[in-house]
């Protein structure tokens, strides 16, 4: 009954009365009174903020619907013509404008065509100009990206995650890379535009997708910002402080923050089957008690100097993370076995500390050339301990690690009239030294390096209707584990594609990518670790490097007021690294292998629609098919649908979202996972420098169960798991920014809060 009420409320919310709106029509001619088709038409407010946009059709006619009364500026532009501006007044009726006459411009211009209301397709990327409504209802860079509803981008503004069909996007601010999880200190009113490279090229070559925020710049002033997020239902919070001061060409920024989790209510029921020494053991695991408590603190100081020909910054940061309690108690029931029922208890703790430094420089020798150099290094000290008991039996593991990492990167790109050429070099280096004590004593010393060299060539053909990107390169992967022989692999890499623009509103892309990556460094060792008194987890130093191949096709269309994307992706991972189970004596060994192949095919339809000035929706329909070759093989498929809706009214934003059940094949666990349907609703208030938001997830669902099963020859299991974090929850967010002096642009929080480790842990 509650679900029905929610769905009816959602439908009612989507058909709320709208403001009075009218249609503005017009047509565009040249000085010879010939029609000018496919011209860009932008409706701007008097302060030049984009309100709406469209294109003229083949007859030079355009139509802007949903326009409210008031004064506006219309901008008309087209290749080889001088842009034209005209102020108009929209009264309480539809409005037909007098003809716009464009004058010839003998200077060759870059191709610019409107892709949607605020989407402008340029040669190598999509330029998105946020409109006034989207800006005033956003507080951070993530909020604005969420409100834009760009087809193909999945934005979780609360968690700071931006994903595409191929994986996570890389975020930049004015061409400088920013930490993916933290764009929270970008002020939307200072963002002029967003550049979205769905198939990156030039200086962005190597990214899965690239998003560059272009902001206004100021000379003097500063700000202090505070924001906090507090969960309701279980204890969790995230609190941050940011400050910035600009003085001419110098800027200084400081960020710090604290987050924590504390909850119980974890429930797990697992049925297991194990083949050990020619005997089959059935066991049922029922969770009796579980509790998790962790916290993290970070701080970063950054100094930036910007001149006409270069932009250089240096930063120093510190991240600390602690998990003082991660406990779980289980009742183990054995069926048809000589083993007796036992009560087990697992207690694990972790501590991590990571100082880091980075120097980054952007250089512009000429207006057509760009050089990017980045050098960074960090040190991490990680400790991990685990106690495990079954009745009177006890197991103990303690690991202490020093991990050093270093990265150096250089990118060069030069642009010509209809082409560009570039080269990039990247080297990553890790040195880990770990000491294990307890049940199994061991010293592990791992040296790992990866070097990549890429060349890129982009060519625009046939009046910019066809764009070709060729990106050959190679990767050298190598590692050396103490007592093991050095391993080295060379692999060809590429991310090449061709794009055809049928006309202003229809775009086709076809591409192929090939690359490789190394197994997780925590897998590459000779360590044994007790899971329980029947199972041992073991590393594998002889894993092959996985090789990835990807083929994709996308079709983008603008069917006003709808932006549509249809895409098909096929991904193959050879030498896929996954779990491996086998019997050894009286134990079941849980290790890793690299002799499986993972296939995934996806067909996805994404549509975003501006129903009115105040109501925007985004919907996704997806079909996926998975298959594992080798290791007894697994396969599954599923359909998934999702819907997101935003309704803007004055200073408030009402958002609702939902997604159907989802089934996936985990290529590492070799397990099929089933996730329940999820939904949520939130209300946000934005006014000047204040932001307040309340929201809830799964408000009418009492219990969400996550199911997982696998069937290997030596080990099979079926698991149902739930937790307090998956149930009815709510949250409150509050943020405030205090400006002092003259205005200054907001800075991205570039703190990398992740801490890498090569320690083998019970999973």
């Amino acid at each position: 009954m509650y679900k029905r009420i929610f769905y009816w409320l959602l439908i009612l919310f989507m058909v709320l009365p709208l403001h009075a709106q009218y249609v503005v029509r017009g047509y565009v001619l040249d000085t010879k009174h010939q029609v000018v088709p496919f011209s860009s038409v932008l409706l701007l407010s008097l302060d030049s903020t984009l309100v709406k946009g469209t294109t003229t059709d083949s007859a030079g006619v355009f139509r802007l619907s949903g326009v409210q009364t008031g004064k506006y500026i219309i901008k008309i532009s087209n290749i080889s013509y001088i842009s034209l501006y005209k102020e108009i007044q929209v009264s309480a009726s539809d409005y037909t404008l007098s003809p716009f006459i464009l004058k010839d411009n003998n200077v060759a211009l870059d191709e610019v065509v409107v892709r949607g209301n605020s989407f402008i397709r340029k040669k190598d990327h999509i330029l998105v100009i946020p409109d006034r409504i989207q800006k005033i209802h956003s507080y951070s860079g993530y909020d604005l990206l969420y409100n834009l509803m760009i087809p193909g981008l999945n934005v979780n503004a609360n968690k700071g995650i931006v994903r595409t069909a191929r994986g996570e996007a890389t975020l930049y601010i004015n061409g400088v890379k920013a930490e993916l999880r933290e764009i929270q200190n970008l002020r939307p009113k200072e963002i002029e535009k967003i550049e979205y490279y769905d198939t990156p090229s030039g200086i962005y070559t190597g990214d899965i997708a690239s998003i560059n925020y272009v902001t206004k710049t100021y000379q003097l002033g500063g700000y202090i910002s505070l924001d906090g997020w507090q969960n309701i239902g279980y204890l969790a919070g995230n609190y941050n402080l940011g400050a910035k001061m600009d003085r001419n060409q110098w800027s200084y920024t400081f960020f710090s923050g604290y987050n924590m989790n504390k909850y119980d209510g974890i429930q797990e029921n697992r049925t297991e089957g194990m083949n050990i020494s020619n005997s089959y053991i059935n066991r049922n695991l029922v969770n009796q008690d579980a509790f998790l408590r962790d916290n993290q603190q970070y701080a970063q100081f950054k100094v930036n100097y910007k001149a006409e020909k270069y932009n250089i910054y240096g930063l120093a940061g510190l991240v600390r993370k602690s998990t003082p309690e991660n406990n779980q108690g289980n009742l183990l029931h054995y069926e048809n076995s000589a083993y007796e029922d036992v009560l087990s208890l697992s207690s694990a703790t972790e501590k991590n500390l990571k100082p880091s430094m980075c120097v980054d420089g952007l250089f512009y020798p000429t207006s057509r050339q760009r050089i990017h150099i980045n050098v960074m290094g960090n040190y991490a000290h990680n400790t991990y301990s685990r106690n495990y008991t079954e009745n009177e039996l006890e197991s103990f593991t303690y690991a202490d690690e020093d991990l050093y990492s270093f990265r150096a990167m250089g990118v060069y790109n030069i642009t010509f009239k209809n082409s560009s050429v570039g080269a990039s070099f990247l080297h990553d280096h890790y040195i880990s030294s770990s000491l294990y004590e307890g049940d199994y004593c061991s010293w592990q010393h791992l040296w790992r390096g990866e070097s990549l060299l890429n060349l890129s060539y982009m060519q625009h053909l046939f009046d910019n209707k066809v764009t070709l990107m060729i990106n050959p390169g190679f990767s050298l992967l190598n590692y050396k584990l103490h007592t093991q022989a050095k391993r080295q692999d060379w692999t060809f890499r590429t991310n090449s594609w061709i794009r055809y623009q049928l006309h202003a509103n229809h775009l086709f892309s076809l591409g192929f990518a090939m690359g490789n990556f190394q197994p997780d460094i925590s897998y590459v060792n000779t360590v044994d670790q007790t899971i329980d008194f029947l199972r041992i987890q073991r590393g594998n130093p002889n894993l092959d490097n996985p090789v990835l191949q990807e083929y994709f096709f996308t079709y983008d269309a603008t069917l006003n007021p709808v932006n549509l994307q249809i895409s098909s992706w096929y991904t193959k991972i050879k030498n896929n690294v996954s779990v491996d189970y086998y019997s050894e004596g009286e134990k079941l060994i849980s290790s890793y292998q690299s002799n499986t192949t993972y296939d995934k095919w996806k067909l996805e339809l994404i549509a975003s629609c501006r129903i009115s000035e105040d109501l925007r929706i985004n919907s996704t329909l997806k079909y996926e098919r998975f298959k594992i070759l080798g290791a007894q093989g697994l396969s599954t498929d599923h359909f998934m649908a999702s819907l997101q809706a935003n309704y803007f009214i004055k200073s408030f934003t009402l958002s609702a979202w939902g997604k159907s059940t989802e089934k996936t094949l985990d290529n590492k666990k070799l397990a099929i996972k089933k996730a329940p349907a999820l939904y949520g609703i939130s209300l946000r208030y934005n006014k000047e420098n204040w932001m307040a938001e309340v929201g809830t997830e799964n408000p009418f669902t009492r219990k969400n169960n996550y199911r997982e099963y696998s069937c290997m020859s030596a080990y099979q299991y079926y698991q149902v798991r739930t937790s307090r974090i998956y149930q009815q929850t709510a949250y409150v967010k509050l943020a405030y920014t205090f400006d002092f002096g003259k205005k200054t642009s907001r800075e991205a929080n570039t703190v990398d809060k992740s801490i890498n480790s090569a320690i083998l842990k019970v999973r």
Side-chain angles (χ1 to χ4, degrees):
M1 177 179 177
Y2 291 117
K3 291 184 178 178
R4 292 182 181 177
I5 295 173
F6 173 78
Y7 292 140
W8 281 112
L9 287 174
L10 180 61
I11 294 172
L12 180 63
F13 153 76
M14 295 177 63
V15 295
L16 289 173
L18 309 176
H19 297 292
Q21 298 169 344
Y22 304 98
V23 176
V24 176
R25 301 181 181 87
Y27 55 102
V28 182
L29 306 174
D30 61 17
T31 53
K32 298 179 181 179
H33 292 277
Q34 300 294 315
V35 298
V36 182
F38 310 125
S39 300
S40 168
V41 181
L42 300 181
L43 183 67
L44 309 173
S45 62
L46 295 183
D47 63 358
S48 298
T49 301
L50 178 69
V51 177
K52 289 183 177 295
T54 186
T55 56
T56 59
D57 60 19
S58 58
V61 177
F62 67 87
R63 182 178 185 273
L64 294 165
S65 59
V67 180
Q68 299 181 13
T69 58
K71 290 185 178 181
Y72 299 93
I73 298 173
I74 281 196
K75 176 185 176 182
I76 311 291
S77 59
N78 201 317
I79 301 171
S80 300
Y81 292 92
I82 298 174
S83 296
L84 180 63
Y85 295 81
K86 183 177 181 180
E87 185 173 325
I88 65 170
Q89 171 72 50
V90 177
S91 302
S93 63
D94 292 347
Y95 189 32
T96 300
L97 302 169
S98 56
F100 289 87
I101 308 299
L102 296 183
K103 297 181 180 180
D104 292 338
N105 185 355
N106 295 325
V107 179
L109 299 176
D110 284 344
E111 172 198 12
V112 177
V113 289
V114 171
R115 182 171 179 253
N117 287 339
S118 58
F119 292 51
I120 302 173
R121 168 62 72 176
K122 302 196 76 173
K123 286 182 179 180
D124 57 351
H125 66 279
I126 299 169
L127 178 62
V128 186
I129 303 176
D131 62 33
R132 179 182 59 86
I133 296 294
Q134 291 164 332
K135 282 188 176 184
I136 65 175
H137 289 87
S138 303
Y139 183 80
S140 71
Y142 283 123
D143 296 335
L144 183 60
L145 202 60
Y146 177 86
N147 287 338
L148 289 175
M149 294 185 175
I150 302 174
L153 278 186
N154 184 3
V155 182
N156 187 322
N158 285 336
K159 295 182 179 179
I161 298 175
V162 182
R163 292 186 179 274
T164 69
R166 299 174 61 194
E168 291 191 0
T170 305
L171 306 186
Y172 298 81
I173 298 176
N174 296 326
V176 178
K177 186 177 179 180
E179 169 62 22
L180 183 64
R181 295 182 180 89
E182 302 284 348
I183 302 288
Q184 295 173 347
N185 283 281
L186 271 178
R187 186 183 318 182
K189 66 183 180 182
E190 307 297 347
I191 298 173
E192 293 185 334
K193 55 189 177 181
I194 293 176
E195 299 170 339
Y196 173 41
Y197 295 79
D198 47 354
T199 45
S201 60
I203 63 169
Y204 304 115
T205 299
D207 293 347
I208 293 175
S210 306
I211 297 170
N212 182 37
Y213 292 86
V214 180
T215 66
K216 301 175 183 177
T217 58
Y218 301 96
Q219 297 299 314
L220 295 171
Y223 68 84
I224 297 174
S225 66
L226 297 166
D227 68 84
W229 170 87
Q230 182 65 51
N231 194 72
I232 302 172
Y234 66 93
L235 187 59
N238 192 327
Y239 318 97
N240 301 279
L241 165 69
K244 181 181 180 183
M245 183 174 69
D246 280 342
R247 187 171 181 84
N248 299 322
Q249 294 174 298
W250 291 90
S251 66
Y252 309 88
T253 57
F254 174 78
F255 297 111
S256 65
Y258 170 80
N259 62 73
M260 55 81 176
N261 289 281
K262 183 179 179 181
Y263 58 87
D264 54 11
I266 299 170
Q267 300 176 27
E268 182 178 333
N269 192 318
R270 175 191 286 241
T271 301
E272 300 173 302
M274 293 172 276
N275 283 312
I276 303 177
S277 299
N278 298 320
S279 64
Y280 189 78
I281 300 172
N282 280 317
R283 183 170 72 177
N284 181 248
L285 180 152
V286 178
N287 176 263
Q288 297 291 298
D289 186 29
F291 182 75
L292 173 70
R293 179 167 62 94
D294 65 19
N295 60 82
Q296 185 183 60
Q297 305 84 37
Y298 73 89
Q300 177 183 281
F301 180 68
K302 175 181 176 182
V303 179
N304 190 95
Y305 182 80
K306 187 174 183 180
E308 182 180 356
K309 292 288 187 178
Y310 56 88
N311 184 358
I312 301 175
Y313 75 78
L315 64 82
L318 180 67
V319 179
R320 177 189 177 274
K321 184 176 181 181
S322 175
T323 306
E325 293 183 86
N326 186 1
N327 306 330
Q328 184 164 333
N330 301 308
L331 177 64
L332 304 178
H333 171 67
Y334 293 89
E335 298 179 359
N336 302 321
S337 172
Y339 294 96
E340 297 181 356
D341 293 356
V342 297
L343 183 65
S344 69
L345 176 63
S346 172
S347 176
T349 64
E350 293 184 58
K351 290 184 179 180
N352 314 92
L353 184 68
K354 186 188 76 172
S356 60
M357 298 186 69
C358 176
V359 177
D360 187 281
L362 287 171
F363 303 90
Y364 307 90
T366 67
S367 60
R368 295 187 295 111
Q369 298 181 77
R370 178 170 173 171
I371 300 172
H372 185 195
I373 297 175
N374 179 277
V375 179
M376 64 181 300
N378 61 63
Y379 160 77
H381 182 241
N382 306 305
T383 61
Y384 168 76
S385 66
R386 180 176 182 264
N387 285 282
Y388 178 79
T389 60
E390 286 185 12
N391 288 346
E392 301 300 324
L393 300 175
E394 185 173 359
S395 167
F396 174 68
T397 296
Y398 177 79
D400 188 289
E401 177 195 30
D402 293 308
L403 176 65
Y404 303 86
S405 62
F406 171 80
R407 164 173 284 198
M409 180 189 71
V411 181
Y412 172 78
N413 185 256
I414 182 169
T415 303
F416 303 99
K417 181 179 180 181
N418 290 308
S419 64
S420 66
V421 178
S424 64
F425 174 78
L426 172 68
H427 179 75
D428 272 320
H429 204 84
Y430 296 89
I431 300 175
S432 170
S433 182
S434 305
L435 179 64
Y436 292 81
E437 298 175 336
D439 296 354
Y440 302 95
C441 296
S442 175
W443 178 66
Q444 302 287 313
H445 185 78
L446 175 65
W447 175 90
R448 191 183 86 166
E450 178 181 15
S451 299
L452 300 114
L453 177 64
N454 274 90
L455 303 176
S456 63
Y457 173 71
M458 176 181 284
Q459 180 67 55
H460 303 285
L461 305 167
F462 308 111
D463 295 327
N464 295 322
K465 289 186 177 296
V466 175
T467 301
L468 175 65
M469 173 67 177
I470 301 174
N471 177 230
F474 69 85
S475 168
L476 171 61
L477 297 170
N478 51 70
Y479 62 86
K480 173 70 170 66
L481 183 67
H482 179 66
T483 73
Q484 301 288 316
K486 180 180 178 180
R487 299 201 55 182
Q488 191 173 77
D489 289 295
W490 294 81
T491 305
F492 173 75
R493 298 175 66 99
T494 188
N495 184 13
S496 301
W497 46 266
I498 187 169
R499 173 184 290 155
Y500 172 61
Q501 187 162 328
L502 181 62
H503 58 71
N505 297 330
H506 300 276
L507 183 73
F508 300 88
S509 300
L510 182 66
F512 167 71
M514 180 175 179
N516 62 330
F517 52 93
Q518 285 186 317
D520 192 294
I521 57 177
S522 65
Y523 300 169
V524 184
N525 54 64
T526 58
V527 175
D528 279 4
Q529 191 172 134
T530 300
I531 302 175
D532 54 46
F533 289 104
L534 286 180
R535 296 183 297 163
I536 293 176
Q537 184 158 301
R538 177 177 293 170
N540 184 353
N542 301 310
L543 295 171
D544 293 324
N545 294 306
V547 177
L548 182 145
Q549 296 178 2
E550 192 171 61
Y551 306 83
F552 64 90
F553 169 79
T554 61
Y555 164 65
D556 294 87
T558 296
L559 310 171
N560 266 340
V562 177
N563 291 304
L564 180 70
Q565 183 182 84
I566 301 174
S567 63
S568 176
W569 303 83
Y570 173 71
T571 302
K572 178 186 286 291
I573 303 178
K574 297 181 179 179
N575 303 331
N576 176 59
V577 174
S578 61
V579 295
D580 185 26
Y581 301 104
Y582 55 91
S583 176
E584 184 178 276
E586 298 299 320
K587 301 287 187 178
L588 178 71
I589 306 300
S590 173
S591 188
Y592 305 97
Q593 61 181 337
S594 55
N595 57 357
T596 62
T597 299
Y598 174 70
D599 283 350
K600 176 182 175 181
W601 181 71
K602 177 167 67 174
L603 180 64
E604 190 170 40
L605 168 64
I606 304 172
S608 66
C609 178
R610 181 190 296 200
I611 295 179
S612 71
E613 191 72 12
D614 300 318
L615 180 60
R616 326 284 175 95
I617 63 171
N618 190 19
S619 60
T620 300
L621 181 63
K622 178 173 67 176
Y623 171 77
E624 289 182 308
R625 186 176 66 200
F626 309 87
K627 188 174 183 180
I628 293 285
L629 303 177
Q632 284 76 54
L634 282 171
S635 63
T636 189
D637 62 351
H638 80 107
F639 284 94
M640 190 278 289
S642 67
L643 176 67
Q644 168 197 339
N646 289 350
Y647 183 73
F648 306 118
I649 177 169
K650 295 184 178 180
S651 298
F652 293 90
T653 304
L654 182 61
S655 297
W657 62 272
K659 60 182 289 189
S660 64
T661 58
E662 195 167 9
K663 184 166 62 172
T664 59
L665 175 55
D666 190 315
N667 62 305
K668 292 184 178 179
K669 288 187 174 182
L670 299 183
I672 294 175
K673 297 181 175 182
K674 294 182 178 180
L678 303 172
Y679 56 93
I681 191 167
S682 65
L683 179 65
R684 166 176 291 190
Y685 172 80
N686 278 84
K687 191 69 172 179
E688 300 298 334
N689 290 355
W690 283 96
M691 186 276 289
E693 180 179 336
V694 294
T696 179
E697 295 184 2
N698 313 310
F700 308 113
T701 304
R702 293 186 178 180
K703 181 177 288 189
N704 277 323
N705 290 321
Y706 288 76
R707 304 177 187 274
E708 182 178 318
Y709 63 90
S710 179
C711 187
M712 309 283 286
S713 60
Y715 181 62
Q716 308 88 43
Y717 71 89
Y718 176 80
Q719 172 182 292
V720 179
R721 184 180 177 87
T722 188
S723 171
R724 186 66 193 88
I725 64 175
Y726 303 144
Q727 310 314 319
Q728 300 161 317
T729 59
Y731 66 88
V732 177
K733 290 175 66 176
L734 186 65
Y736 175 73
T737 300
F738 171 72
D739 295 302
F740 57 86
K742 297 183 179 179
K743 288 184 178 180
T744 185
S745 60
R746 290 286 288 275
E747 187 75 12
N749 185 333
T750 56
V751 178
D752 179 3
K753 294 191 287 185
S754 62
I755 301 179
N756 210 345
S757 175
I759 295 176
L760 180 71
K761 303 172 186 175
V762 171
R763 292 172 168 82

